Amino acid sequence: IGVGLAALLFNRKLKDTYEQCVPLQYQYRPGTISGWLANMLSRHSKTRRKQRPVRVYMDGCFDMMHYGHANALRQAKSLGDQLVVGLIPDSEILRCKGPPVLNEDERYALVSSVKWVDEVISGVPYDLSPEFIQELFTKHKIDYIIHGDDPCLLPDGTDAYAHAKRLGRFCMIKRTEGVSTTDIVGRMLTCTRVNPFVQDQPHPLAQCFSLGEDQEEIQRRRSLEPGDGEHGNQGDGDVVPREVQHTTLSRFLPTSRRLVQFSNSRVAPEGARIVYIDGAFDAFHPGHVKILEAAKAQGNFLLVGLHTDEDVQERRGPHLPIMNLHERSLSVLACKYVDEVVIGSPTIITQDLITTFNISLVVRGTMSEMSDYSQPQLQSHGHGSIGNGMHPVPSSGSNGPALGMHRVPSSSSNGNGNGNGTRAPVTKEERYAVPRALGVYCELPSPTDLSARNIIQRIVSKRQAFEARNEKKTKSEATYYQAKKEYVQEL
């Protein structure tokens, strides 16, 4: 016992001497060495990134750019320090895939607006030849080439990224399921069947992507079947064969993790000038990018309000919006000019909304989707209030675009109706009455007249070309989902 006590006293005296003689910053504490090493590695990594950042490259057409493209770019950026995007020109797309919906300048505006993109290279070839890959490595200082887990084949059927894989400088990311350019084109064609906002006469190609059946169309097809009429099914070149009349539903699966990945996690600083702009922002296009850029220039924090599917459909009619609320939220959040999004914002801007978000200025573009389509036309064609108490509202059980027609109970004359069973549509004056009265409203000149309606009309005007393109792409996507789909960890 005496020896043990003596040893204990000696160790305590030694510890006291150690603490007195060795400065605190050099004294050993549990985790000190590992923490010091982690800090050294972090400083080295930052220095290395400044001197020689890891540059990753991802190319594509980025036609009708959507949140799937944005998520691919987000994953690609996580694999390096700088993301360089190669934009394939119109001529190459036409040669290898078919006509693009958006031209090269429009696609460039969309790609360069994504917050994860650092640099865009125009005019890159569709074929990743060994010569071009070497040019990427030498001229553009690319370290790795990135692509999704879905197969990308050249016109001759070979793997477009085979050479990069052989060099060991290829990285794969997970494809974002639930959306594709082919799917969006199909949704757009669908809405032309019964929606005069897009087109007065329904287009037959839309039936190939039907998300809902129109009763008049069903009766017309039945009358053309063999034995059901004197003409049978002959002499009508617009009749779509029965085998292609299928239902294409959105496979989009919204998750909280996806919203977090796209979110900026930014809070408006004290004294910030918060600018608010609202709308549908459906089928996100270059016109949206430019008006958002103009809105951001009015302050230092841009807040975007996204209207619900029901509100958008009430204004525009069946099969709209093209993208549902969650899909539209991701597309807007991916834009580098946007700081925050209000998901499902009210159509009418109230004093409570302005106070809650401390909004300094409410802005609106001079041109909107409804600008060139007058309300009397919409009413006569069945847009908005359809008559007989009928309103377009979302079909139950669908997470895709708002579809279907259901009866809304009649309302009395209480400000929301006109006493005959229909709701009066909200006017622009009503929507912005409060910010006007407060003197915080401003209309910005729209930088372009491009709209979702214009884009849909482009597709309809080139029916045959898009029909061939979409048929081929739809088959390859079906093969991916049914036979080749494998689990890949998303970054």
Side-chain angles (χ1 to χ4, degrees):
I1 297 176
V3 175
L5 183 59
L8 180 62
L9 293 174
F10 177 78
N11 289 335
R12 180 174 297 178
K13 183 175 180 63
L14 184 62
K15 181 180 180 182
D16 293 341
T17 304
Y18 170 77
E19 292 178 350
Q20 292 174 2
C21 299
V22 180
L24 180 63
Q25 62 268 31
Y26 297 113
Q27 294 179 15
Y28 172 77
R29 295 183 302 277
T32 302
I33 296 178
S34 58
W36 174 84
L37 184 60
N39 291 333
M40 288 295 294
L41 291 175
S42 177
R43 286 198 293 268
H44 172 73
S45 177
K46 291 179 180 179
T47 302
R48 190 270 306 161
R49 290 185 177 186
K50 291 180 180 179
Q51 296 176 348
R52 178 63 175 89
V54 175
R55 289 167 62 85
V56 295
Y57 172 84
M58 187 174 192
D59 65 357
C61 304
F62 300 101
D63 194 19
M64 294 295 297
M65 190 165 181
H66 47 72
Y67 65 89
H69 291 134
N71 192 46
L73 296 173
R74 180 193 65 79
Q75 293 184 78
K77 178 62 178 286
S78 69
L79 293 173
D81 304 316
Q82 295 178 355
L83 174 59
V84 181
V85 176
L87 188 64
I88 299 173
D90 296 344
S91 57
E92 286 286 278
I93 299 176
L94 185 62
R95 176 178 68 88
C96 300
K97 300 181 65 174
V101 179
L102 302 179
N103 62 44
E104 189 172 348
D105 291 337
E106 293 168 337
R107 292 185 288 114
Y108 184 95
L110 282 171
V111 173
S112 59
S113 72
V114 177
K115 59 187 176 184
W116 297 290
V117 175
D118 298 293
E119 183 181 337
V120 180
I121 305 174
S122 300
V124 303
Y126 189 87
D127 305 341
L128 278 176
S129 64
E131 294 76 20
F132 178 68
I133 290 178
Q134 187 61 30
E135 180 182 331
L136 289 176
F137 294 158
T138 55
K139 180 179 178 180
H140 300 287
K141 307 297 183 184
I142 300 299
D143 296 292
Y144 296 99
I145 296 175
I146 315 294
H147 191 260
D149 60 328
D150 54 315
C152 182
L153 304 179
L154 297 176
D156 61 1
T158 59
D159 185 359
Y161 296 90
H163 185 67
K165 292 177 181 178
R166 285 194 297 268
L167 296 176
R169 300 179 71 171
F170 176 83
C171 294
M172 181 183 295
I173 59 174
K174 181 177 175 59
R175 171 188 177 174
T176 304
E177 298 180 17
V179 67
S180 66
T181 300
T182 305
D183 173 55
I184 295 175
V185 169
R187 298 189 205 181
M188 288 183 168
L189 290 171
T190 298
C191 74
T192 66
R193 288 166 56 251
V194 293
N195 194 326
F197 168 74
V198 179
Q199 181 174 295
D200 290 338
Q201 297 297 324
H203 199 284
L205 177 60
Q207 300 172 41
C208 295
F209 301 88
S210 178
L211 291 166
E213 289 292 347
D214 181 53
Q215 292 300 318
E216 293 182 2
E217 182 59 25
I218 292 175
Q219 294 299 325
R220 186 184 76 84
R221 288 206 314 272
R222 287 178 177 173
S223 68
L224 295 172
E225 292 178 354
D228 289 347
E230 60 177 344
H231 298 294
N233 61 353
Q234 300 176 6
D236 192 339
D238 290 339
V239 177
V240 179
R242 178 176 294 276
E243 58 269 16
V244 299
Q245 295 172 357
H246 61 275
T247 299
T248 301
L249 295 177
S250 171
R251 290 187 173 92
F252 175 63
L253 300 174
T255 63
S256 58
R257 180 170 180 263
R258 177 74 74 232
L259 286 173
V260 171
Q261 290 170 337
F262 275 62
S263 175
N264 293 316
S265 300
R266 288 200 293 263
V267 179
E270 186 176 355
R273 181 174 171 81
I274 301 176
V275 180
Y276 179 78
I277 183 171
D278 68 337
F281 292 93
D282 190 23
F284 200 74
H285 54 71
H288 293 140
V289 172
K290 292 181 179 180
I291 194 63
L292 290 174
E293 181 181 10
K296 182 62 178 286
Q298 303 301 310
N300 49 17
F301 191 90
L302 180 60
L303 179 67
V304 179
L306 292 177
H307 297 160
T308 64
D309 297 340
E310 293 82 0
D311 287 339
V312 176
Q313 192 181 63
E314 184 177 339
R315 294 198 303 270
R316 301 184 185 178
H319 300 286
L320 291 173
I322 300 297
M323 315 290 284
N324 67 35
L325 180 59
H326 289 95
E327 294 173 309
R328 292 184 281 122
S329 299
L330 295 179
S331 295
V332 173
L333 281 170
C335 181
K336 64 184 179 181
Y337 304 113
V338 176
D339 295 292
E340 183 61 286
V341 168
V342 181
I343 302 176
S345 64
T347 303
I348 298 177
I349 299 176
T350 63
Q351 174 70 64
D352 180 68
L353 179 72
I354 294 175
T355 304
T356 299
F357 293 102
N358 194 27
I359 296 171
S360 306
L361 181 67
V362 176
V363 300
R364 180 182 186 273
T366 53
M367 197 209 80
S368 68
E369 297 286 350
M370 307 297 293
S371 297
D372 56 349
Y373 211 75
S374 63
Q375 191 62 38
Q377 285 179 299
L378 300 181
Q379 295 289 353
S380 65
H381 283 88
H383 184 79
S385 297
I386 299 178
N388 298 324
M390 298 294 289
H391 287 272
V393 298
S395 300
S396 60
S398 172
N399 64 349
L403 306 171
M405 308 289 290
H406 300 283
R407 184 172 297 276
V408 175
S410 299
S411 59
S412 60
S413 300
N414 58 0
N416 294 325
N418 54 14
N420 63 356
T422 61
R423 282 185 296 182
V426 179
T427 64
K428 181 180 73 172
E429 288 70 22
E430 292 175 316
R431 287 175 59 185
Y432 299 101
V434 171
R436 283 179 187 273
L438 296 175
V440 295
Y441 176 77
C442 175
E443 282 200 3
L444 302 176
S446 296
T448 176
D449 60 356
L450 184 64
S451 66
R453 185 183 181 195
N454 301 146
I455 296 173
I456 294 173
Q457 289 173 342
R458 291 185 191 182
I459 296 171
V460 173
S461 67
K462 298 180 180 180
R463 175 184 66 86
Q464 293 181 346
F466 284 111
E467 183 177 25
R469 169 183 165 177
N470 279 21
E471 181 180 2
K472 180 179 178 181
K473 185 65 176 177
T474 301
K475 289 180 179 178
S476 66
E477 289 184 358
T479 300
Y480 168 80
Y481 278 111
Q482 296 174 6
K484 298 183 178 180
K485 179 178 176 181
E486 297 179 358
Y487 176 76
V488 176
Q489 178 67 44
E490 185 176 74
L491 302 175

